[in-house]
C-alpha cells in the first residue's frame, strides 16, 4: 500500500515526501518526532523571549516579524523541492519561526503581558485534547472529514493572502480589527487549525516504523507548522477580545 494514498491538509505530510528509499534500517518513530519537536519548540521559545526583551528596550519588531515570516516561507519552499535536506533546513526553519513569533507576539507581551502565556497554555491544552479525541476514536479521521478540513484550511489561507496584498494598498480587510466579523473568522480559523492536528496524528500513526528515520524531520516540520498556526490564531483572538472588552 503506497504511503501517498494518505493525504492530509498539511503539505509537508503529502505522499511526495514519503516516496524515498525503502532500504533504510532505522525507521521513523513517535519518540524521535517528539524529541525533535520538543527541541525545536525550546529554540523558538528562547528566541521569542530574547526578542521580547529587545522590544521592551525600544527596538521595533516589524522587520523581525516580516523577515522571519519570509525566511520561513522560503525555507519551506526549498524543503518542498529538496526534501532530503530537511535534517538541515528544519532547524533553520525553527529559527526563522522563532524570529517571526518573537516579533509577532511582542506587542501582546508588551501591552498584555499575560496573553502570550495564556495563548501557549490554550495551545498545549488544545493539542492534548485533540490527541485524546484521536486516540480514543471519538473523532475518526474519514475521507470526508479530511476533505472538509483541507478545503477550509486552503480557503482561510487564501483570505489571509488577499488581506495581506490589500494591506500594501492601504486597504483594511474585514478580518482585521476587532469587529464581530473579524472575531468570528478568527474563531473559525482556530478551530480549523486544531482539527488539522487530527490529520497530522493520523498520518504519523500510519507511517511510524515504516518511513526512514530522517523523515522524522519532515514530521517535525509539519507539526511545528500546525502548532504555530494554532498559537497565532489563539493569540490574535485573545488580543481582539482584550482590546474590545
Amino acid at each position: 500500500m503506497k504511503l501517498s494514498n494518505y493525504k492530509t491538509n498539511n503539505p509537508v505530510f503529502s505522499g511526495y515526501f514519503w516516496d524515498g528509499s525503502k532500504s533504510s534500517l532505522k525507521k521513523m518513530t513517535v519518540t524521535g518526532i517528539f524529541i525533535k519537536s520538543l527541541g525545536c519548540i525550546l529554540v523558538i521559545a528562547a528566541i521569542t523571549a530574547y526578542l521580547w526583551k529587545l522590544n521592551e528596550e525600544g527596538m521595533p519588531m516589524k522587520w523581525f516579524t516580516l523577515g522571519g515570516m519570509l525566511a520561513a516561507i522560503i525555507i519551506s519552499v526549498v524543503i518542498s523541492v529538496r526534501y532530503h535536506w530537511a535534517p538541515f533546513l528544519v532547524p533553520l526553519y525553527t529559527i526563522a519561526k522563532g524570529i517571526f513569533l518573537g516579533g509577532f507576539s511582542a506587542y501582546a507581551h508588551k501591552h498584555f503581558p499575560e496573553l502570550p502565556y495564556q495563548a501557549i497554555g490554550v495551545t498545549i491544552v488544545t493539542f492534548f485534547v485533540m490527541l485524546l479525541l484521536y486516540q480514543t476514536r471519538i473523532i475518526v479521521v474519514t475521507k470526508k472529514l479530511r476533505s472538509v478540513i483541507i478545503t477550509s484550511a486552503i480557503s482561510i489561507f487564501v483570505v489571509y493572502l488577499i488581506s495581506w496584498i490589500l494591506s500594501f494598498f492601504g486597504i483594511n480587510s474585514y478580518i482585521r480589527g476587532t469587529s464581530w466579523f473579524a472575531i468570528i473568522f478568527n474563531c473559525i480559523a482556530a478551530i480549523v487549525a486544531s482539527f488539522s492536528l487530527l490529520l497530522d496524528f493520523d498520518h504519523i500513526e500510519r507511517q511510524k516504523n515504516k518511513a526512514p528515520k530522517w523523515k522524522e524531520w519532515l514530521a517535525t516540520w509539519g507539526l511545528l507548522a500546525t502548532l504555530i498556526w494554532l498559537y497565532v490564531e489563539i493569540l490574535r483572538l485573545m488580543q481582539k477580545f482584550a482590546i474590545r472588552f
Side-chain angles (χ1 to χ4, degrees):
M1 184 175 294
K2 293 185 178 180
L3 301 181
S4 57
N5 289 338
Y6 303 108
K7 298 181 179 179
T8 175
N9 71 301
N10 197 323
V12 304
F13 287 130
S14 63
Y16 172 74
F17 295 112
W18 304 96
D19 294 332
S21 173
K22 298 181 180 180
S23 60
S24 176
L25 296 178
K26 293 185 178 180
K27 301 298 181 180
M28 184 183 79
T29 63
V30 174
T31 301
I33 296 171
F34 173 78
I35 293 174
K36 290 177 175 62
S37 298
L38 180 61
C40 290
I41 290 173
L42 292 177
V43 171
I44 290 175
I47 295 174
T48 299
Y50 178 69
L51 290 183
W52 286 355
K53 181 179 179 181
L54 292 180
N55 183 243
E56 290 176 349
E57 295 174 354
M59 181 175 290
M61 293 287 107
K62 178 180 179 180
W63 296 111
F64 284 100
T65 304
L66 182 60
M69 180 181 68
L70 292 178
I73 292 174
I74 293 173
I75 293 172
S76 296
V77 171
V78 175
I79 295 177
S80 299
V81 177
R82 294 287 185 269
Y83 55 93
H84 287 87
W85 295 358
F88 307 100
L89 293 179
V90 173
L92 295 179
Y93 172 85
T94 299
I95 295 174
K97 277 298 185 179
I99 295 173
F100 163 73
L101 284 182
F104 176 82
S105 58
Y107 174 85
H109 178 66
K110 187 174 182 178
H111 295 84
F112 309 98
E114 300 301 321
L115 281 191
Y117 302 109
Q118 293 173 3
I120 291 173
V122 174
T123 301
I124 293 174
V125 170
T126 302
F127 174 85
F128 283 106
V129 168
M130 300 311 293
L131 181 61
L132 178 63
L133 292 174
Y134 174 76
Q135 291 291 348
T136 57
R137 296 301 187 268
I138 293 178
I139 298 180
V140 179
V141 179
T142 63
K143 184 177 180 180
K144 183 176 182 179
L145 176 62
R146 185 181 295 110
S147 298
V148 171
I149 296 177
I150 292 173
T151 302
S152 301
I154 292 176
S155 299
I156 290 170
F157 285 130
V158 169
V159 172
Y160 276 133
L161 178 61
I162 294 174
S163 175
W164 184 61
I165 294 174
L166 290 176
S167 67
F168 286 101
F169 299 95
I171 302 175
N172 291 325
S173 66
Y174 290 109
I175 65 172
R176 294 178 177 271
T178 58
S179 67
W180 281 113
F181 181 88
I183 290 175
I184 291 173
F185 179 84
N186 218 159
C187 288
I188 294 174
I191 292 173
V192 174
S194 63
F195 271 78
S196 297
L197 288 170
L198 292 175
L199 303 189
D200 297 337
F201 296 152
D202 181 66
H203 194 89
I204 290 175
E205 182 177 31
R206 293 177 184 274
Q207 310 313 321
K208 66 181 181 182
N209 302 320
K210 297 178 182 179
K213 182 73 173 178
W214 64 268
K215 290 187 177 180
E216 289 176 352
W217 286 106
L218 291 176
T220 298
W221 177 37
L223 283 177
L224 285 178
T226 305
L227 285 172
I228 291 172
W229 177 28
L230 178 60
Y231 167 77
V232 167
E233 295 295 348
I234 291 173
L235 181 58
R236 290 180 70 244
L237 183 60
M238 296 177 88
Q239 277 184 273
K240 290 178 181 180
F241 276 121
I243 294 173
R244 187 179 179 92
F245 302 106

